[in-house]
Amino acid sequence: MRTLIIVPTYNESDNLELIVQRIHAEQPGVDILIADDGSPDGTGEIADRLAADDPRVHVMHRTSKQGLGSAYRAGFAWGLARDYDVLMEMDADGSHRPEDLAKILAASKAGADLVLGSRWVPGGGVVNWPRHRRLISRGGTLYAHLMLGIPIKDATGGFRAFRRSTLERLPLEDVASQGYCFQIDMARRVVAAGMSVQEVPITFVERERGQSKMSGAIVREALWRVTLWGLARAVPRSLRRDRQEPARTPGAKEPRP
C-alpha cells in the first residue's frame, strides 16, 4: 500500500529535518509531503533541501498561514491525484512518535477506514503535557461525544490514517473547519457515512523545540462548530424534511405518480 504522510508546517525549522529522518528510519517505504504555510523562519527552504536530496520527500508551498484544515485538505487532494492508498496526518514537532507508525499503518492495511492514534485508550498516554492541555483534549472529546454521538475516545488527535476510499467518499470541499475542530469534523463525517473507525494507542510527547500552535481561537472555533453541529443533529428529521418541502396550495390536487 503506497502511503503518504502529510506534515503541515509553520515555523518548524528546529524540528522538520529530525522528524523526516525519524519517519524514514521507522518506515523507509513511505513518502512525505511537507505542506508549508509560508513559514518566515526558513522551514520552506529546509523542506526544499530535503526534497532535493530524497525522492521520497515532496513539498507544497502555500503563500500564507491558512490553517491546519486547509493544509490537510490540500495535502489530501495532492495525494489522491497521485494514487496513494493511505494518506496520513502527522505533526512536525515530534509530538507524534514515528515509533507508533507501524501499528497505525497495520490497522489501516487490515481494513479500517480511519485509524486514530489515540492518547486516551488503554496503552495510550501523554508525556510532559500541562494539565490545561489534558483538560482541553479530553473535554473536547467528551463534548463531541455528547453533542454528536461519535463513539471515539480521542476525537481531537491529529495522528491518523485515512484509506484512499475513505477520503473519496467524503465531501472534502464542504469541510471548512480548522485546528482541533478539523479533526472532530473529519471523524464525525466518517462515522456518519457508516465507515469504520479504529483507535490504536499512542504516546503523545510534548514538543521540546518551537512554540505550540494551540490558541484560544482554535478552542473557540471547536466549541461553536461542535455546538452548531449538535443542535442541527438534534432537530428531528421530519421537521428538517418539512422545511425543505415546498408549501402546497390549499385545494390543489396531488400530482399523479
Side-chain angles (χ1 to χ4, degrees):
M1 297 178 70
R2 296 184 65 225
T3 299
L4 178 70
I5 299 179
I6 303 164
V7 181
T9 55
Y10 185 77
N11 287 350
E12 294 290 354
S13 59
D14 291 337
N15 297 305
L16 182 59
E17 187 166 5
L18 178 59
I19 196 63
V20 169
Q21 292 173 353
R22 290 179 61 196
I23 290 171
H24 279 149
E26 292 292 329
Q27 296 291 326
V30 306
D31 286 356
I32 299 171
L33 173 64
I34 302 165
D36 185 63
D37 272 7
S39 299
D41 72 341
T43 300
E45 289 76 5
I46 295 173
D48 285 336
R49 174 170 55 79
L50 294 172
D53 293 338
D54 190 337
R56 300 170 296 178
V57 179
H58 310 273
V59 185
M60 174 186 294
H61 289 286
R62 289 149 51 87
T63 57
S64 61
K65 189 177 182 181
Q66 300 172 50
L68 188 70
S70 174
Y72 276 132
R73 289 196 307 274
F76 292 154
W78 191 96
L80 291 172
R82 289 159 179 81
D83 296 325
Y84 284 93
D85 301 302
V86 177
L87 295 93
M88 286 198 64
E89 300 178 7
M90 188 171 183
D91 288 351
D93 60 10
S95 57
H96 296 153
R97 302 189 313 153
E99 294 80 4
D100 288 323
L101 280 168
K103 52 189 170 184
I104 294 176
L105 290 173
S108 183
K109 185 177 181 179
D113 295 306
L114 169 60
V115 183
L116 304 179
S118 179
R119 296 159 289 192
W120 310 124
V121 296
V126 296
V127 175
N128 296 331
W129 230 22
R131 180 177 175 81
H132 75 278
R133 291 292 300 275
R134 291 172 183 252
L135 291 174
I136 289 173
S137 175
R138 304 206 73 162
T141 290
L142 176 60
Y143 190 63
H145 174 71
L146 294 174
M147 294 297 291
L148 308 177
I150 52 177
I152 295 173
K153 301 293 186 183
D154 192 352
T156 63
F159 196 10
R160 50 179 65 185
F162 296 87
R163 293 175 68 91
R164 175 187 184 84
S165 57
T166 305
L167 293 172
E168 289 177 334
R169 291 178 59 185
L170 299 178
L172 296 177
E173 67 279 0
D174 294 340
V175 180
S177 47
Q178 304 292 337
Y180 275 122
C181 193
F182 174 78
Q183 309 299 4
I184 297 172
D185 196 355
M186 292 296 289
R188 79 180 179 100
R189 290 173 186 269
V190 171
V191 172
M195 293 185 278
S196 62
V197 179
Q198 181 176 345
E199 295 186 79
V200 299
I202 64 165
T203 300
F204 183 98
V205 182
E206 176 68 340
R207 69 161 65 229
E208 295 181 356
R209 292 174 289 188
Q211 294 184 342
S212 171
K213 308 303 188 297
M214 173 57 67
S215 68
I218 290 174
V219 176
R220 289 191 294 273
E221 185 212 11
L223 181 61
W224 74 261
R225 284 192 185 273
V226 171
T227 300
L228 289 178
W229 295 331
L231 292 174
R233 175 175 174 266
V235 175
R237 291 185 180 180
S238 58
L239 179 59
R240 293 201 299 265
R241 186 167 57 248
D242 290 344
R243 288 181 176 179
Q244 292 170 357
E245 291 179 355
R248 293 190 179 94
T249 303
K253 294 182 179 180
E254 291 288 338
R256 291 183 179 181

